[in-house]
Amino acid sequence: MSAEIESIESLLEKNIKGEELSEVRRILYGKELKSVHIPDKVTQLAISKDFEVKAYAFEATPEQLRPPGTVRVGLIQNKLVLPTDAPIKAQIEALHQRIGDIIQAAAECGVNIVCMQEAWTMPFAFCTREKHPWTEFAESAETGPTTKLMQELAQRYNMVIISPILERDDAHGEILANTAVVISNTGAVLGKSRKNHIPRTGDFNESTYYLEGNTGHPVFQTQFGKIAINICYGRHHPQNWMMYGINGAEIVFNPSATVGSLSEPMWPIEARNAAIANSYFTCAINRVGTEYFANEFSSGDGKPAHKDFGHFYGSSYVAAPDGSRTPGLSRTRDGLLVVEMDLNLCRQAKDKWNFRMTQRLELYAESLTKAVRPDYQPQVIKE
Amino acid sequence: MSAEIESIESLLEKNIKGEELSEVRRILYGKELKSVHIPDKVTQLAISKDFEVKAYAFEATPEQLRPPGTVRVGLIQNKLVLPTDAPIKAQIEALHQRIGDIIQAAAECGVNIVCMQEAWTMPFAFCTREKHPWTEFAESAETGPTTKLMQELAQRYNMVIISPILERDDAHGEILANTAVVISNTGAVLGKSRKNHIPRTGDFNESTYYLEGNTGHPVFQTQFGKIAINICYGRHHPQNWMMYGINGAEIVFNPSATVGSLSEPMWPIEARNAAIANSYFTCAINRVGTEYFANEFSSGDGKPAHKDFGHFYGSSYVAAPDGSRTPGLSRTRDGLLVVEMDLNLCRQAKDKWNFRMTQRLELYAESLTKAVRPDYQPQVIKE
């Protein structure tokens, strides 16, 4: 294509109609979702500030003993506001302003829990392998300026905010970490969850900047549900998703930063597979646009050095434990995806499919324990 | 839709053209595949015997020290030939004849390894909960008539044959098992692999007939590559897929039997996710058509008793370690999918993505060992 397409859904809807479109949607996306009213005020704000808003609802079967577990989640994807060589403070403040506006729209839509993309306060500059000036974007998860601002917004809007940043941990030798800060709707910092799996692929060896997370697989018990965060490359690791499920997550957010040529055909697969396998909701969030850097860098692929590494394709979406999913946000525009979900669907999916009960975790605990030994002999049958 | 559609690919190709179709394909299926010539003789045979043949190739980058690991795999999906109340011997013989014809076509296409659908010699009658007459379809994995016939064909065509049957194990109290028999191209029975995860969902509590497999996660070293079999419901379990990968599988077959209303939106997700996460090829095979039974049965869903449980939607496909996949076979017709693959792509995907090296199996061995203890305390953070 000469230009980036808006979304695969827009192509399908433009070309396929009526019953055929319904059948394509059923096979590609699962059951039809209820649409959710977007307040006029939000529509106006989205037009004036140039971002997309979409809203859907996943329903569950009414139960007699449990009320519906209704919660509204907001996924935010965005481009950089200023060029990557603008003063750092200005870049951060511009992003704070931009995300502040979209969070306000989320609040008007009744969102209870919002999550931004990976390392949202900065360019995704880890491809450059330069330490300066990118590590200056790092800040304290507990007391940094971004966390302070998010605490204000969380309290103002009575909203849980998941804020994925580059963390500087002063209490542990000033190391860096790729961290999601979880801020309660009370305004308190509930805790943090670090990226467990660190890529060494394509343009990125992120271990140049930070290593594998040491925060385990925490689940945060909020007023609106039990949530967890699986940052970016962790979505390729089914065992990572599994442990959040074992710890009781009902919604797992996957704040990411990934480009088209590398991963786009995998994007609709992995978070959705995790929703199915673990009987919880997954929220996959990717950034948008192309980021240019002042100094050229090479990608270890035999091609000439360059100043960008491709198009972040957005396409943020939510998948449900019954295998259904929302359409994606735009591949090219900033956006807010509002999704109402009845968390009762998690237990209902568990009861319907019985994946947990049939999971044979004892078998795999034992098999894995053997498999990681240096002298492990794979089970291979030869003639 | 009033009738079952032929396939999602046929709908997309009918309605979307040119560059837009290429972009839809890229996002939905990954990189474009080379097409593979189907001999005229096979095309004629397929017309006269009324089955579909499709053929694709996954390529890999040429290496200096390893020759290409080229292998051709055949996936066979089929309807029943005779009604489910025909004499059992006649039903089995009709299926033997039918599959014999399609295996012949596979041989003419140069297929090295062929796999049929789950329990291919019989109706998928486990929804009825009747023992009589269905358990009469069971036979010895090592010496039963189906295995004997497959040994003949394997030797005649120099082909590895994976034959998923209902097994009667005389050496262990005449128990039943859901088993894939692996027959070497020499004609020898190389071994067997049993279904590890048993569904208790929808119309099926298959543990009425057979329990969780006790054969582990065997990988069969054949002349054409290292293969494994993850039968049906095991595709919902990422840990099951993982262990075949740890044991060195390059191709994992997933012979299945699943219907539209239950699982169709999950079908394109799970085997493909496994190919990505484990850096191997996966071959997902589903049966086709609707099977009617003489006696009505109920499904535990509040609906009236009935004599069938829905449409097996075929759609067999192959997914590659780089996340790309073939289109599916028909949703309504018998078919043979021939796929040439260069097994070098497995190690190339491992080196590109580094999922194995970043998998932190030690962490999960430890976490799972803790998690299965009755007194396990999930890692939950509260305010």
Side-chain angles (χ1 to χ4, degrees):
Chain A
M1 301 292 282
S2 36
E4 291 291 343
I5 63 160
E6 177 59 23
S7 68
I8 181 150
E9 294 84 3
S10 64
L11 271 188
L12 297 176
E13 281 164 23
K14 192 181 88 177
N15 290 294
I16 308 179
K17 304 291 172 195
E19 279 197 3
E20 288 189 340
L21 181 60
S22 302
E23 189 66 356
V24 166
R25 277 197 181 132
R26 179 186 72 79
I27 294 176
L28 291 182
Y29 294 114
K31 75 176 179 204
E32 208 161 323
L33 304 185
K34 213 176 64 177
S35 73
V36 166
H37 174 69
I38 298 167
D40 291 346
K41 194 172 167 184
V42 172
T43 307
Q44 289 308 316
L45 185 65
I47 291 169
S48 71
K49 300 279 184 182
D50 189 23
F51 61 88
E52 176 189 36
V53 183
K54 285 186 171 177
Y56 305 92
F58 291 99
E59 297 174 285
T61 305
E63 300 181 15
Q64 293 192 33
L65 299 185
R66 290 196 302 177
T70 308
V71 57
R72 284 202 181 181
V73 162
L75 284 62
I76 298 176
Q77 65 176 37
N78 65 286
K79 287 179 257 204
L80 297 180
V81 180
L82 296 182
T84 60
D85 56 358
I88 291 171
K89 196 153 185 291
Q91 286 189 60
I92 295 175
E93 283 172 0
L95 283 163
H96 281 180
Q97 182 62 50
R98 179 69 175 157
I99 294 304
D101 288 343
I102 305 181
I103 290 180
Q104 186 195 332
E108 302 280 359
C109 291
V111 162
N112 307 113
I113 308 171
V114 76
C115 182
M116 279 78 78
Q117 66 204 20
E118 183 181 21
W120 72 270
T121 63
M122 63 181 291
F124 210 72
F126 309 121
C127 52
T128 65
R129 299 188 283 287
E130 301 162 349
K131 297 297 172 81
H132 178 78
W134 313 117
T135 61
E136 285 205 64
F137 282 91
E139 50 181 290
S140 159
E142 290 77 16
T143 59
T146 297
T147 295
K148 281 200 189 314
L149 175 63
M150 293 301 109
Q151 289 182 287
E152 280 173 41
L153 298 181
Q155 210 166 19
R156 183 186 311 161
Y157 299 130
N158 187 34
M159 196 188 284
V160 172
I161 299 182
I162 301 167
S163 173
I165 60 167
L166 182 63
E167 179 192 6
R168 173 79 71 185
D169 185 350
D170 287 331
H172 296 91
E174 296 187 310
I175 60 159
L176 297 171
N178 186 316
T179 302
V181 186
V182 181
I183 295 148
S184 168
N185 55 317
T186 63
V189 175
L190 191 47
K192 63 188 178 189
S193 185
R194 287 175 172 165
K195 185 171 183 167
N196 273 328
H197 298 267
I198 305 300
R200 288 130 168 120
T201 186
D203 278 89
F204 297 97
N205 184 337
E206 292 177 28
S207 71
T208 301
Y209 298 88
Y210 40 79
L211 293 176
E212 282 71 14
N214 61 352
T215 48
H217 294 88
V219 168
F220 299 90
Q221 170 81 65
T222 76
Q223 187 188 316
F224 309 112
K226 292 160 89 172
I227 63 175
I229 305 98
N230 175 355
I231 301 176
C232 197
Y233 186 74
R235 77 179 171 281
H236 305 298
H237 290 285
Q239 288 66 50
N240 197 35
W241 290 109
M242 173 189 70
M243 282 309 302
Y244 296 114
I246 287 175
N247 286 332
E250 295 166 308
I251 313 170
V252 181
F253 294 86
N254 176 232
S256 298
T258 184
V259 294
S261 58
L262 187 66
S263 67
E264 193 162 2
M266 300 178 174
W267 180 253
I269 304 298
E270 293 160 309
R272 191 165 169 208
N273 188 75
I276 297 167
N278 299 290
S279 303
Y280 54 46
F281 290 91
T282 59
C283 302
I285 306 167
N286 188 20
R287 59 172 66 198
V288 195
T290 304
E291 303 183 355
Y292 297 92
F293 297 98
N295 306 321
E296 64 179 15
F297 55 92
S298 60
S299 298
D301 58 0
K303 294 185 185 152
H306 44 102
K307 295 189 170 186
D308 76 279
F309 59 93
H311 175 70
F312 291 108
Y313 51 82
S315 307
S316 302
Y317 71 97
V318 174
D322 64 3
S324 58
R325 60 158 284 187
T326 69
L329 285 178
S330 167
R331 296 180 70 259
T332 59
R333 296 181 66 202
D334 288 11
L336 167 66
L337 179 62
V338 176
V339 178
E340 182 176 300
M341 44 184 77
D342 183 343
L343 297 181
N344 284 356
L345 193 59
C346 299
R347 190 194 286 172
Q348 290 175 12
K350 282 182 193 167
D351 284 354
K352 175 174 179 184
W353 280 101
N354 270 340
F355 294 150
R356 292 294 178 91
M357 199 167 76
T358 59
Q359 205 174 10
R360 304 186 73 181
L361 286 184
E362 290 81 0
L363 171 68
Y364 296 105
E366 201 179 308
S367 300
L368 266 187
T369 302
K370 288 180 190 160
V372 296
R373 285 195 204 133
D375 62 350
Y376 178 63
Q377 291 298 326
Q379 184 185 357
V380 177
I381 296 177
K382 295 173 188 167
E383 197 164 348
Chain B
M1 303 293 279
S2 36
E4 292 291 342
I5 62 160
E6 177 59 23
S7 69
I8 182 149
E9 293 86 3
S10 63
L11 271 187
L12 296 176
E13 282 165 22
K14 191 181 87 177
N15 291 294
I16 308 179
K17 304 291 174 195
E19 279 198 2
E20 289 189 340
L21 181 60
S22 301
E23 190 66 357
V24 166
R25 278 199 182 131
R26 180 185 71 80
I27 295 176
L28 292 182
Y29 294 110
K31 73 174 182 207
E32 208 161 323
L33 305 185
K34 212 177 65 176
S35 74
V36 166
H37 174 68
I38 298 166
D40 292 345
K41 194 173 165 184
V42 171
T43 306
Q44 288 309 317
L45 184 67
I47 292 169
S48 70
K49 300 281 185 181
D50 189 23
F51 61 89
E52 177 189 34
V53 183
K54 286 185 172 178
Y56 305 93
F58 292 99
E59 296 174 286
T61 305
E63 300 181 16
Q64 293 191 34
L65 299 185
R66 290 196 301 178
T70 308
V71 57
R72 284 201 181 181
V73 161
L75 284 63
I76 297 177
Q77 65 175 36
N78 65 286
K79 288 180 255 201
L80 297 179
V81 180
L82 296 183
T84 61
D85 58 358
I88 291 172
K89 196 152 185 291
Q91 287 189 59
I92 295 175
E93 283 173 358
L95 283 163
H96 280 181
Q97 180 63 49
R98 179 70 173 157
I99 294 304
D101 287 343
I102 305 182
I103 289 181
Q104 188 197 330
E108 302 279 358
C109 291
V111 163
N112 308 114
I113 308 170
V114 75
C115 181
M116 280 78 78
Q117 66 205 19
E118 183 182 21
W120 71 271
T121 62
M122 63 181 292
F124 210 72
F126 309 120
C127 52
T128 65
R129 299 187 285 286
E130 301 161 347
K131 299 296 173 83
H132 179 78
W134 315 116
T135 61
E136 285 204 62
F137 282 90
E139 49 181 291
S140 161
E142 290 78 14
T143 59
T146 297
T147 296
K148 281 202 188 312
L149 175 63
M150 294 302 109
Q151 289 181 284
E152 279 175 40
L153 298 182
Q155 211 167 14
R156 183 184 314 163
Y157 299 130
N158 189 33
M159 195 187 282
V160 171
I161 299 182
I162 302 168
S163 172
I165 60 167
L166 182 62
E167 178 192 5
R168 172 80 69 186
D169 185 351
D170 286 332
H172 296 91
E174 298 187 309
I175 59 159
L176 296 173
N178 186 316
T179 302
V181 185
V182 180
I183 295 149
S184 167
N185 56 317
T186 63
V189 174
L190 190 47
K192 63 189 179 186
S193 185
R194 286 175 172 164
K195 185 170 183 169
N196 271 329
H197 297 268
I198 304 299
R200 286 123 169 127
T201 186
D203 278 89
F204 297 97
N205 184 337
E206 292 177 28
S207 72
T208 301
Y209 298 88
Y210 41 78
L211 293 176
E212 281 72 14
N214 61 352
T215 48
H217 295 87
V219 167
F220 300 91
Q221 170 82 65
T222 75
Q223 187 189 315
F224 309 111
K226 290 159 91 172
I227 63 174
I229 305 99
N230 175 354
I231 300 177
C232 196
Y233 185 77
R235 78 179 171 281
H236 306 298
H237 290 285
Q239 287 66 49
N240 197 35
W241 290 108
M242 173 189 70
M243 282 309 303
Y244 295 114
I246 287 175
N247 287 331
E250 296 167 308
I251 313 170
V252 181
F253 294 86
N254 176 232
S256 297
T258 184
V259 294
S261 58
L262 186 67
S263 67
E264 193 161 4
M266 301 177 173
W267 180 252
I269 304 299
E270 294 160 309
R272 192 166 168 206
N273 189 75
I276 297 167
N278 299 290
S279 303
Y280 54 47
F281 290 90
T282 58
C283 302
I285 305 168
N286 188 21
R287 58 171 70 196
V288 195
T290 304
E291 302 182 355
Y292 297 94
F293 298 98
N295 306 320
E296 64 179 16
F297 55 92
S298 62
S299 298
D301 59 0
K303 294 183 185 153
H306 45 100
K307 295 190 171 186
D308 78 278
F309 58 95
H311 175 70
F312 291 107
Y313 51 82
S315 307
S316 303
Y317 70 96
V318 173
D322 63 3
S324 59
R325 58 157 285 186
T326 69
L329 284 179
S330 167
R331 295 180 70 259
T332 59
R333 294 182 67 203
D334 288 11
L336 166 67
L337 179 61
V338 176
V339 178
E340 182 176 299
M341 45 185 77
D342 183 342
L343 297 181
N344 285 357
L345 193 59
C346 299
R347 191 194 285 171
Q348 289 176 13
K350 282 183 194 167
D351 285 354
K352 174 174 181 185
W353 281 99
N354 269 342
F355 293 149
R356 291 292 179 91
M357 199 168 74
T358 60
Q359 203 174 13
R360 303 185 76 182
L361 286 184
E362 290 80 2
L363 171 69
Y364 295 106
E366 201 179 308
S367 299
L368 265 187
T369 302
K370 288 180 190 159
V372 296
R373 285 194 204 133
D375 63 349
Y376 179 63
Q377 290 298 326
Q379 183 185 359
V380 177
I381 296 177
K382 296 174 186 167
E383 197 162 349

